[in-house]
């Protein structure tokens, strides 16, 4: 049965993007919803402004509120840009994300030159607040990231600037995809997916050797 037609789409007049997306999912439990529908719901009902950061709000519903929101990464029968909240249950282990206090956050920003600190293969992202993200599009907003996943270290110091770094929205999402908040384990598949051709080749060679498909 194709239940895509049965999706309820509001209207949702909640003030925050996150609250509108949450209401939308709760109205459509166990139904397949699409990226387009999510963007429609996330769009400001008053101004008609389409938010750039709806994907980040989705991540927060998972990590902060403990909802299960499945995507093709979790379920083979979902296609890319399809999502599903199977039930309204919120994992009790989900902790509200702790933030550094204002003074600490200012120091963290200062120490990183007010730039995204994401580093990959020796190259730092370096996007600044207000820049246009050349990869993901949209205006960059820097938010605090606890360097080690919060699920592993519930006791973190909001006053210790060495524990934090500024990340742009795209790299916040990327980091969340890298770590499974429930288990604290690395999401190796997501990492390989986002790696370079060269790195994928290395992994491929490694696996070939590992499984003995080719002679070392
Ligand atoms: Zn970045």
């Amino acid at each position: 049965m194709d239940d895509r037609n049965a999706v309820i789409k509001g209207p949702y007049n909640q003030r925050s993007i996150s609250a509108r997306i949450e209401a939308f999912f709760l109205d459509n439990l166990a139904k397949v919803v699409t990226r387009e529908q999510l963007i429609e719901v996330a769009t400001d009902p008053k101004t008609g402004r389409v938010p750039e950061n709806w994907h980040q709000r989705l991540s927060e519903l998972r990590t902060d509120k403990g909802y299960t929101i499945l995507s093709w990464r979790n379920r083979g029968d979902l296609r890319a840009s399809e999502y599903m909240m199977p039930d309204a249950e919120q994992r009790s282990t989900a902790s509200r994300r702790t933030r550094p206090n204002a003074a600490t956050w200012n120091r963290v920003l200062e120490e990183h030159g007010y730039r995204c600190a994401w580093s990959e293969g020796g190259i730092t992202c370096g996007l600044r607040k207000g820049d246009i993200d050349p990869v993901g599009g949209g205006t960059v907003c820097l938010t605090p990231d606890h360097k080690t996943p919060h699920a592993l270290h519930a006791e973190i110091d909001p006053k210790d600037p060495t524990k934090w770094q500024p990340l742009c929205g795209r790299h916040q999402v990327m980091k969340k995809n890298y770590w499974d908040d429930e288990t604290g384990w690395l999401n190796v598949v997501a990492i390989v997916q986002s790696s370079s051709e060269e790195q994928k080749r290395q992994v491929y060679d490694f696996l070939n050797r590992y499984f003995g498909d080719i002679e070392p």
Side-chain angles (χ1 to χ4, degrees):
M1 187 193 124
D2 187 354
D3 48 13
R4 280 178 197 86
N5 299 323
V7 167
I8 299 162
K9 288 196 282 183
Y12 301 107
N13 295 312
Q14 288 83 349
R15 285 172 66 103
S16 75
I17 298 165
S18 163
R20 294 196 294 275
I21 293 178
E22 181 180 3
F24 172 63
F25 270 117
L26 291 173
D27 275 350
N28 292 288
L29 292 175
K31 289 183 195 167
V32 175
V33 303
T34 66
R35 178 179 187 276
E36 287 70 31
Q37 288 163 344
L38 278 169
I39 292 172
E40 203 180 316
V41 167
T43 298
D44 192 301
K46 284 205 183 98
T47 63
R49 187 174 162 276
V50 179
E52 293 143 356
N53 53 3
W54 65 272
H55 203 268
Q56 207 172 330
R57 300 289 93 79
L58 206 65
S59 289
E60 287 165 6
L61 286 176
R62 289 188 179 112
T63 55
D64 296 359
K65 294 204 146 188
Y67 286 114
T68 300
I69 300 173
L70 303 169
S71 73
W72 60 273
R73 287 180 201 280
N74 322 102
R75 268 179 59 146
D77 57 338
L78 291 175
R79 292 186 293 232
S81 69
E82 286 184 340
Y83 301 87
M84 181 201 283
M85 184 185 278
D87 53 55
E89 196 184 319
Q90 292 172 262
R91 288 189 306 279
S92 55
T93 52
S95 52
R96 280 210 64 76
R97 194 173 328 135
T98 316
R99 286 181 58 101
N101 65 29
T104 306
W105 176 226
N106 281 334
R107 270 191 63 190
V108 171
L109 281 171
E110 218 171 289
E111 276 163 23
H112 289 88
Y114 297 85
R115 290 167 180 273
C116 173
W118 182 269
S119 177
E120 218 173 280
I123 298 164
T124 303
C125 167
L127 285 174
R128 280 174 299 198
K129 183 186 173 189
D131 283 353
I132 300 299
D133 183 342
V135 178
T139 310
V140 171
C141 175
L142 297 175
T143 50
D145 168 60
H146 192 243
K147 288 182 189 171
T148 46
H150 61 273
L152 296 181
H153 300 270
E155 306 300 317
I156 53 174
D157 191 351
K159 290 180 192 160
D160 183 354
T162 65
K163 297 275 205 296
W164 303 89
Q165 61 184 357
L167 290 185
C168 71
R170 177 161 49 87
H171 285 130
Q172 285 279 12
V173 169
M174 197 175 276
K175 179 162 175 184
K176 281 193 198 111
N177 287 340
Y178 282 5
W179 291 91
D180 184 325
D181 278 296
E182 232 168 319
T183 62
W185 285 53
L186 276 170
N187 186 351
V188 175
V189 174
I191 295 171
V192 173
Q193 276 168 343
S194 66
S195 66
S196 70
E197 198 73 25
E198 167 74 27
Q199 290 165 318
K200 284 194 180 82
R201 179 63 62 184
Q202 285 170 13
V203 172
Y204 183 70
D205 290 344
F206 167 77
L207 289 176
N208 265 328
R209 270 193 297 277
Y210 181 85
F211 288 110
D213 291 346
I214 55 172
E215 294 301 318

